[in-house]
Amino acid sequence: MLNHLKEVEITGWRGTEHEVAFVKRLFDWGTKLKEMTVNFHRSISEVKAKELYQIFQSFSRPGLCMKFYRIENCSKVLYAPKD
């Protein structure tokens, strides 16, 4: 259905059940999706950000570039989970 969709940016991501279901559908329908940018809501903790990051990784496929951002000290920073 979304076979021309190549780029998606999500802002204010909280990771609710409905949001996760919607993103799963985007991955299923957007077969030509090449770039996904996720801006976590400022209230998202490190633990929740890591959980949501892993959810996105489980939906991912080769050739898809994903970037995640969090708000830290009033600045938008690239997120990478701490192991």
Side-chain angles (χ1 to χ4, degrees), residues 54-82:
Q54 291 170 338
I55 288 171
F56 270 92
Q57 292 299 321
S58 74
F59 298 156
S60 185
R61 61 181 170 268
L64 177 61
C65 175
M66 293 194 298
K67 298 176 194 165
F68 300 86
Y69 293 92
R70 283 189 69 209
I71 303 296
E72 292 182 13
N73 299 322
C74 299
S75 297
K76 181 177 163 180
V77 295
L78 189 62
Y79 173 75
K82 297 175 177 124

Side-chain angles (χ1 to χ4, degrees), residues 21-36:
F22 175 73
V23 168
K24 174 78 168 102
R25 297 247 178 180
L26 277 178
F27 279 95
D28 290 343
W29 293 338
T31 57
K32 294 190 179 179
L33 191 60
K34 296 292 179 197
E35 187 170 327
M36 171 79 73

Side-chain angles (χ1 to χ4, degrees), residues 7 12 15 21 32 39-40 43 45-46 61:
E7 183 178 335
K32 294 190 179 179
N39 299 293
F40 291 120
S43 67
S45 68
E46 172 67 28
R61 61 181 170 268

